[in-house]
Amino acid sequence: MITFETREAMAGGRTSSQPASRLEDESRSLPRPSVRKRIALGVAATTVFAILCALGVWQLERRVWKLDLIERVDRRVHAAAVPAPGPSAWAHVNAADDAYRHVQVKGRFLDSRATLVKAVTERGPGYWVMAPFRTGDGFSVLVNRGFVPSDQDVHEALKAGHGETAITGLLRVSEPGGGFLRTNDPAADRWYSRDVDAIARARGIKDVAPYFIDADAAADSHVLPVGGLTVISFPNNHLVYAITWFGLAIMLLGWMTYAMRQEWILRKRHSGRAIT
């Protein structure tokens, strides 16, 4: 009779443990990170999680600030016109408190040549007409009389009345440097931003205000230059940014939870394995 030795007999009467699963075999063969490395990884992940949450909270705070700014500017734009700040207040004029304030000046346009500044509006490409204005209070201010399309004859639009007049519009802070990825070139009379100081020096205008005024729209919208084209827009994407940061934080937290669970499972398997 042919007999077969049992596994127990081959093992000398000892009962071996059940074969481990392939996953367990592979997990045993893989090098496990040291305790120090695991702690360092946990600290790094926790730090990144805290930073992502902080960025999300910061964006929510920025959103509150932006909504308040929009509300304040809206009140300024639709308020009754007030006298434009004089020399005694120039040192305190700033974008946060004065930009887009509805102001009024009385006086006359100077004979000094107006400055054409490159512009792109809802009416297409063209120029802003920046004309020097002498107020009855003894100071000068640049007035953006409005927009002239590039395909129109600008010479007629450059003519300003010489009599006493009142100008109402929105106070705008100076735009130094340039725009459209180009730098202002006073020597060549090429202007890409409404840089009050540079324009005043180029035209020899004294005692000029550190701001300019965007003139309100005229009764006839077909008369050049066309005023009232000020674009007031404050991008408010802070809620989207906050959701993004918080979303990344949640994803990282999920990964951390998964990694900790896998570590716990491996520890349990190793501690519960019978050694015979």
Side-chain angles (χ1 to χ4, degrees), residues 171-196:
L171 185 151
R172 303 292 307 279
V173 295
S174 180
E175 301 169 346
F180 300 98
L181 302 179
R182 298 180 182 180
T183 303
N184 291 328
D185 187 357
D189 201 28
R190 295 191 183 97
W191 302 92
Y192 303 98
S193 73
R194 292 164 290 191
D195 187 335
V196 171

PDB file of all heavy atoms in Angstrom, residues 171-196:
ATOM      1  N   LEU A 171     -13.159 110.753  -8.311  1.00  0.00           N
ATOM      2  CA  LEU A 171     -11.749 110.914  -7.965  1.00  0.00           C
ATOM      3  C   LEU A 171     -11.028 109.590  -8.184  1.00  0.00           C
ATOM      4  O   LEU A 171     -11.468 108.543  -7.724  1.00  0.00           O
ATOM      5  CB  LEU A 171     -11.621 111.361  -6.512  1.00  0.00           C
ATOM      6  CG  LEU A 171     -10.223 111.686  -5.989  1.00  0.00           C
ATOM      7  CD1 LEU A 171     -10.304 112.735  -4.877  1.00  0.00           C
ATOM      8  CD2 LEU A 171      -9.484 110.455  -5.456  1.00  0.00           C
ATOM      9  N   ARG A 172      -9.931 109.662  -8.897  1.00  0.00           N
ATOM     10  CA  ARG A 172      -9.122 108.466  -9.178  1.00  0.00           C
ATOM     11  C   ARG A 172      -7.692 108.711  -8.744  1.00  0.00           C
ATOM     12  O   ARG A 172      -7.152 109.803  -8.920  1.00  0.00           O
ATOM     13  CB  ARG A 172      -9.141 108.157 -10.687  1.00  0.00           C
ATOM     14  CG  ARG A 172     -10.535 107.966 -11.281  1.00  0.00           C
ATOM     15  CD  ARG A 172     -11.195 106.703 -10.751  1.00  0.00           C
ATOM     16  NE  ARG A 172     -10.348 105.545 -10.919  1.00  0.00           N
ATOM     17  CZ  ARG A 172     -10.237 104.868 -12.065  1.00  0.00           C
ATOM     18  NH1 ARG A 172     -10.934 105.237 -13.135  1.00  0.00           N
ATOM     19  NH2 ARG A 172      -9.455 103.813 -12.137  1.00  0.00           N
ATOM     20  N   VAL A 173      -7.074 107.684  -8.189  1.00  0.00           N
ATOM     21  CA  VAL A 173      -5.678 107.812  -7.773  1.00  0.00           C
ATOM     22  C   VAL A 173      -4.780 107.673  -8.997  1.00  0.00           C
ATOM     23  O   VAL A 173      -5.150 107.077 -10.009  1.00  0.00           O
ATOM     24  CB  VAL A 173      -5.319 106.750  -6.719  1.00  0.00           C
ATOM     25  CG1 VAL A 173      -6.108 106.973  -5.439  1.00  0.00           C
ATOM     26  CG2 VAL A 173      -5.556 105.347  -7.259  1.00  0.00           C
ATOM     27  N   SER A 174      -3.600 108.241  -8.886  1.00  0.00           N
ATOM     28  CA  SER A 174      -2.646 108.224  -9.996  1.00  0.00           C
ATOM     29  C   SER A 174      -2.252 106.798 -10.363  1.00  0.00           C
ATOM     30  O   SER A 174      -2.271 105.888  -9.528  1.00  0.00           O
ATOM     31  CB  SER A 174      -1.409 109.031  -9.619  1.00  0.00           C
ATOM     32  OG  SER A 174      -0.465 109.044 -10.663  1.00  0.00           O
ATOM     33  N   GLU A 175      -1.883 106.614 -11.633  1.00  0.00           N
ATOM     34  CA  GLU A 175      -1.471 105.306 -12.149  1.00  0.00           C
ATOM     35  C   GLU A 175      -0.028 105.390 -12.642  1.00  0.00           C
ATOM     36  O   GLU A 175       0.233 105.504 -13.839  1.00  0.00           O
ATOM     37  CB  GLU A 175      -2.395 104.871 -13.288  1.00  0.00           C
ATOM     38  CG  GLU A 175      -3.855 104.771 -12.882  1.00  0.00           C
ATOM     39  CD  GLU A 175      -4.781 104.601 -14.079  1.00  0.00           C
ATOM     40  OE1 GLU A 175      -4.326 104.818 -15.239  1.00  0.00           O
ATOM     41  OE2 GLU A 175      -5.950 104.263 -13.861  1.00  0.00           O
ATOM     42  N   PRO A 176       0.939 105.384 -11.741  1.00  0.00           N
ATOM     43  CA  PRO A 176       2.341 105.581 -12.142  1.00  0.00           C
ATOM     44  C   PRO A 176       2.898 104.410 -12.936  1.00  0.00           C
ATOM     45  O   PRO A 176       2.430 103.282 -12.833  1.00  0.00           O
ATOM     46  CB  PRO A 176       3.064 105.727 -10.793  1.00  0.00           C
ATOM     47  CG  PRO A 176       2.203 104.988  -9.823  1.00  0.00           C
ATOM     48  CD  PRO A 176       0.795 105.185 -10.290  1.00  0.00           C
ATOM     49  N   GLY A 177       3.890 104.724 -13.728  1.00  0.00           N
ATOM     50  CA  GLY A 177       4.633 103.674 -14.438  1.00  0.00           C
ATOM     51  C   GLY A 177       4.203 103.471 -15.869  1.00  0.00           C
ATOM     52  O   GLY A 177       4.884 103.849 -16.810  1.00  0.00           O
ATOM     53  N   GLY A 178       3.063 102.861 -16.050  1.00  0.00           N
ATOM     54  CA  GLY A 178       2.605 102.539 -17.395  1.00  0.00           C
ATOM     55  C   GLY A 178       1.517 101.498 -17.343  1.00  0.00           C
ATOM     56  O   GLY A 178       0.929 101.214 -16.296  1.00  0.00           O
ATOM     57  N   GLY A 179       1.224 100.913 -18.491  1.00  0.00           N
ATOM     58  CA  GLY A 179       0.195  99.895 -18.597  1.00  0.00           C
ATOM     59  C   GLY A 179       0.331  99.159 -19.911  1.00  0.00           C
ATOM     60  O   GLY A 179       1.166  99.496 -20.755  1.00  0.00           O
ATOM     61  N   PHE A 180      -0.494  98.146 -20.096  1.00  0.00           N
ATOM     62  CA  PHE A 180      -0.452  97.334 -21.319  1.00  0.00           C
ATOM     63  C   PHE A 180       0.946  96.747 -21.535  1.00  0.00           C
ATOM     64  O   PHE A 180       1.419  96.611 -22.666  1.00  0.00           O
ATOM     65  CB  PHE A 180      -0.859  98.165 -22.548  1.00  0.00           C
ATOM     66  CG  PHE A 180      -2.237  98.738 -22.475  1.00  0.00           C
ATOM     67  CD1 PHE A 180      -2.426 100.055 -22.070  1.00  0.00           C
ATOM     68  CD2 PHE A 180      -3.354  97.976 -22.795  1.00  0.00           C
ATOM     69  CE1 PHE A 180      -3.698 100.596 -21.998  1.00  0.00           C
ATOM     70  CE2 PHE A 180      -4.628  98.515 -22.716  1.00  0.00           C
ATOM     71  CZ  PHE A 180      -4.803  99.826 -22.319  1.00  0.00           C
ATOM     72  N   LEU A 181       1.614  96.435 -20.399  1.00  0.00           N
ATOM     73  CA  LEU A 181       2.976  95.882 -20.424  1.00  0.00           C
ATOM     74  C   LEU A 181       3.968  96.831 -21.078  1.00  0.00           C
ATOM     75  O   LEU A 181       5.004  96.403 -21.592  1.00  0.00           O
ATOM     76  CB  LEU A 181       2.993  94.518 -21.149  1.00  0.00           C
ATOM     77  CG  LEU A 181       2.086  93.442 -20.556  1.00  0.00           C
ATOM     78  CD1 LEU A 181       2.183  92.169 -21.386  1.00  0.00           C
ATOM     79  CD2 LEU A 181       2.440  93.163 -19.103  1.00  0.00           C
ATOM     80  N   ARG A 182       3.662  98.128 -21.032  1.00  0.00           N
ATOM     81  CA  ARG A 182       4.557  99.143 -21.592  1.00  0.00           C
ATOM     82  C   ARG A 182       4.751 100.263 -20.584  1.00  0.00           C
ATOM     83  O   ARG A 182       3.865 100.561 -19.784  1.00  0.00           O
ATOM     84  CB  ARG A 182       3.992  99.718 -22.903  1.00  0.00           C
ATOM     85  CG  ARG A 182       3.829  98.691 -24.016  1.00  0.00           C
ATOM     86  CD  ARG A 182       3.268  99.344 -25.266  1.00  0.00           C
ATOM     87  NE  ARG A 182       3.057  98.374 -26.330  1.00  0.00           N
ATOM     88  CZ  ARG A 182       2.569  98.673 -27.531  1.00  0.00           C
ATOM     89  NH1 ARG A 182       2.226  99.917 -27.813  1.00  0.00           N
ATOM     90  NH2 ARG A 182       2.415  97.731 -28.450  1.00  0.00           N
ATOM     91  N   THR A 183       5.909 100.881 -20.655  1.00  0.00           N
ATOM     92  CA  THR A 183       6.237 101.975 -19.754  1.00  0.00           C
ATOM     93  C   THR A 183       5.963 103.302 -20.437  1.00  0.00           C
ATOM     94  O   THR A 183       6.219 103.462 -21.637  1.00  0.00           O
ATOM     95  CB  THR A 183       7.721 101.901 -19.346  1.00  0.00           C
ATOM     96  OG1 THR A 183       7.977 100.625 -18.759  1.00  0.00           O
ATOM     97  CG2 THR A 183       8.063 102.994 -18.357  1.00  0.00           C
ATOM     98  N   ASN A 184       5.435 104.258 -19.682  1.00  0.00           N
ATOM     99  CA  ASN A 184       5.204 105.592 -20.232  1.00  0.00           C
ATOM    100  C   ASN A 184       6.512 106.175 -20.757  1.00  0.00           C
ATOM    101  O   ASN A 184       7.573 106.008 -20.147  1.00  0.00           O
ATOM    102  CB  ASN A 184       4.631 106.518 -19.163  1.00  0.00           C
ATOM    103  CG  ASN A 184       3.218 106.142 -18.766  1.00  0.00           C
ATOM    104  OD1 ASN A 184       2.441 105.644 -19.581  1.00  0.00           O
ATOM    105  ND2 ASN A 184       2.871 106.379 -17.510  1.00  0.00           N
ATOM    106  N   ASP A 185       6.412 106.880 -21.880  1.00  0.00           N
ATOM    107  CA  ASP A 185       7.579 107.501 -22.495  1.00  0.00           C
ATOM    108  C   ASP A 185       7.275 108.982 -22.708  1.00  0.00           C
ATOM    109  O   ASP A 185       6.851 109.392 -23.796  1.00  0.00           O
ATOM    110  CB  ASP A 185       7.892 106.815 -23.833  1.00  0.00           C
ATOM    111  CG  ASP A 185       9.190 107.306 -24.448  1.00  0.00           C
ATOM    112  OD1 ASP A 185       9.826 108.215 -23.868  1.00  0.00           O
ATOM    113  OD2 ASP A 185       9.563 106.799 -25.526  1.00  0.00           O
ATOM    114  N   PRO A 186       7.488 109.815 -21.666  1.00  0.00           N
ATOM    115  CA  PRO A 186       7.159 111.241 -21.785  1.00  0.00           C
ATOM    116  C   PRO A 186       7.902 111.941 -22.911  1.00  0.00           C
ATOM    117  O   PRO A 186       7.348 112.836 -23.567  1.00  0.00           O
ATOM    118  CB  PRO A 186       7.556 111.803 -20.421  1.00  0.00           C
ATOM    119  CG  PRO A 186       7.503 110.627 -19.490  1.00  0.00           C
ATOM    120  CD  PRO A 186       7.949 109.463 -20.319  1.00  0.00           C
ATOM    121  N   ALA A 187       9.161 111.554 -23.145  1.00  0.00           N
ATOM    122  CA  ALA A 187       9.951 112.224 -24.189  1.00  0.00           C
ATOM    123  C   ALA A 187       9.319 112.042 -25.560  1.00  0.00           C
ATOM    124  O   ALA A 187       9.329 112.959 -26.401  1.00  0.00           O
ATOM    125  CB  ALA A 187      11.387 111.684 -24.185  1.00  0.00           C
ATOM    126  N   ALA A 188       8.752 110.873 -25.811  1.00  0.00           N
ATOM    127  CA  ALA A 188       8.097 110.597 -27.088  1.00  0.00           C
ATOM    128  C   ALA A 188       6.591 110.875 -27.030  1.00  0.00           C
ATOM    129  O   ALA A 188       5.896 110.654 -28.024  1.00  0.00           O
ATOM    130  CB  ALA A 188       8.343 109.148 -27.495  1.00  0.00           C
ATOM    131  N   ASP A 189       6.123 111.356 -25.894  1.00  0.00           N
ATOM    132  CA  ASP A 189       4.702 111.652 -25.685  1.00  0.00           C
ATOM    133  C   ASP A 189       3.837 110.402 -25.916  1.00  0.00           C
ATOM    134  O   ASP A 189       2.762 110.470 -26.512  1.00  0.00           O
ATOM    135  CB  ASP A 189       4.245 112.798 -26.598  1.00  0.00           C
ATOM    136  CG  ASP A 189       2.985 113.475 -26.081  1.00  0.00           C
ATOM    137  OD1 ASP A 189       2.769 113.466 -24.855  1.00  0.00           O
ATOM    138  OD2 ASP A 189       2.204 114.005 -26.900  1.00  0.00           O
ATOM    139  N   ARG A 190       4.307 109.286 -25.394  1.00  0.00           N
ATOM    140  CA  ARG A 190       3.537 108.044 -25.443  1.00  0.00           C
ATOM    141  C   ARG A 190       3.134 107.678 -24.014  1.00  0.00           C
ATOM    142  O   ARG A 190       3.996 107.506 -23.161  1.00  0.00           O
ATOM    143  CB  ARG A 190       4.353 106.908 -26.070  1.00  0.00           C
ATOM    144  CG  ARG A 190       4.707 107.124 -27.539  1.00  0.00           C
ATOM    145  CD  ARG A 190       5.265 105.842 -28.152  1.00  0.00           C
ATOM    146  NE  ARG A 190       5.671 106.036 -29.524  1.00  0.00           N
ATOM    147  CZ  ARG A 190       6.921 106.293 -29.915  1.00  0.00           C
ATOM    148  NH1 ARG A 190       7.877 106.375 -28.998  1.00  0.00           N
ATOM    149  NH2 ARG A 190       7.221 106.454 -31.182  1.00  0.00           N
ATOM    150  N   TRP A 191       1.830 107.547 -23.820  1.00  0.00           N
ATOM    151  CA  TRP A 191       1.311 107.332 -22.482  1.00  0.00           C
ATOM    152  C   TRP A 191       0.415 106.100 -22.464  1.00  0.00           C
ATOM    153  O   TRP A 191      -0.464 105.953 -23.300  1.00  0.00           O
ATOM    154  CB  TRP A 191       0.529 108.557 -22.003  1.00  0.00           C
ATOM    155  CG  TRP A 191       1.352 109.806 -22.008  1.00  0.00           C
ATOM    156  CD1 TRP A 191       1.456 110.714 -23.020  1.00  0.00           C
ATOM    157  CD2 TRP A 191       2.222 110.267 -20.966  1.00  0.00           C
ATOM    158  NE1 TRP A 191       2.329 111.720 -22.687  1.00  0.00           N
ATOM    159  CE2 TRP A 191       2.816 111.468 -21.412  1.00  0.00           C
ATOM    160  CE3 TRP A 191       2.547 109.778 -19.700  1.00  0.00           C
ATOM    161  CZ2 TRP A 191       3.710 112.185 -20.638  1.00  0.00           C
ATOM    162  CZ3 TRP A 191       3.448 110.503 -18.924  1.00  0.00           C
ATOM    163  CH2 TRP A 191       4.011 111.689 -19.394  1.00  0.00           C
ATOM    164  N   TYR A 192       0.690 105.244 -21.473  1.00  0.00           N
ATOM    165  CA  TYR A 192      -0.077 104.007 -21.340  1.00  0.00           C
ATOM    166  C   TYR A 192      -0.802 103.921 -19.992  1.00  0.00           C
ATOM    167  O   TYR A 192      -1.531 102.964 -19.748  1.00  0.00           O
ATOM    168  CB  TYR A 192       0.848 102.805 -21.509  1.00  0.00           C
ATOM    169  CG  TYR A 192       1.579 102.822 -22.834  1.00  0.00           C
ATOM    170  CD1 TYR A 192       2.885 103.301 -22.921  1.00  0.00           C
ATOM    171  CD2 TYR A 192       0.946 102.408 -24.005  1.00  0.00           C
ATOM    172  CE1 TYR A 192       3.552 103.337 -24.138  1.00  0.00           C
ATOM    173  CE2 TYR A 192       1.605 102.447 -25.221  1.00  0.00           C
ATOM    174  CZ  TYR A 192       2.907 102.916 -25.283  1.00  0.00           C
ATOM    175  OH  TYR A 192       3.563 102.961 -26.491  1.00  0.00           O
ATOM    176  N   SER A 193      -0.586 104.902 -19.143  1.00  0.00           N
ATOM    177  CA  SER A 193      -1.319 104.991 -17.881  1.00  0.00           C
ATOM    178  C   SER A 193      -1.437 106.454 -17.492  1.00  0.00           C
ATOM    179  O   SER A 193      -0.667 107.301 -17.952  1.00  0.00           O
ATOM    180  CB  SER A 193      -0.616 104.199 -16.775  1.00  0.00           C
ATOM    181  OG  SER A 193       0.563 104.865 -16.351  1.00  0.00           O
ATOM    182  N   ARG A 194      -2.391 106.718 -16.623  1.00  0.00           N
ATOM    183  CA  ARG A 194      -2.658 108.101 -16.219  1.00  0.00           C
ATOM    184  C   ARG A 194      -1.807 108.446 -14.997  1.00  0.00           C
ATOM    185  O   ARG A 194      -2.296 108.493 -13.871  1.00  0.00           O
ATOM    186  CB  ARG A 194      -4.152 108.265 -15.962  1.00  0.00           C
ATOM    187  CG  ARG A 194      -4.976 108.141 -17.232  1.00  0.00           C
ATOM    188  CD  ARG A 194      -6.449 107.913 -16.989  1.00  0.00           C
ATOM    189  NE  ARG A 194      -6.720 106.575 -16.447  1.00  0.00           N
ATOM    190  CZ  ARG A 194      -7.936 106.057 -16.341  1.00  0.00           C
ATOM    191  NH1 ARG A 194      -9.003 106.756 -16.735  1.00  0.00           N
ATOM    192  NH2 ARG A 194      -8.095 104.855 -15.837  1.00  0.00           N
ATOM    193  N   ASP A 195      -0.525 108.659 -15.284  1.00  0.00           N
ATOM    194  CA  ASP A 195       0.459 108.994 -14.263  1.00  0.00           C
ATOM    195  C   ASP A 195       0.435 110.506 -14.066  1.00  0.00           C
ATOM    196  O   ASP A 195       1.012 111.259 -14.858  1.00  0.00           O
ATOM    197  CB  ASP A 195       1.841 108.520 -14.698  1.00  0.00           C
ATOM    198  CG  ASP A 195       2.898 108.677 -13.628  1.00  0.00           C
ATOM    199  OD1 ASP A 195       2.742 109.547 -12.749  1.00  0.00           O
ATOM    200  OD2 ASP A 195       3.894 107.925 -13.663  1.00  0.00           O
ATOM    201  N   VAL A 196      -0.226 110.949 -13.004  1.00  0.00           N
ATOM    202  CA  VAL A 196      -0.441 112.383 -12.787  1.00  0.00           C
ATOM    203  C   VAL A 196       0.873 113.139 -12.699  1.00  0.00           C
ATOM    204  O   VAL A 196       1.061 114.172 -13.360  1.00  0.00           O
ATOM    205  CB  VAL A 196      -1.278 112.610 -11.516  1.00  0.00           C
ATOM    206  CG1 VAL A 196      -1.321 114.092 -11.156  1.00  0.00           C
ATOM    207  CG2 VAL A 196      -2.687 112.080 -11.713  1.00  0.00           C
TER     208      VAL A 196
END
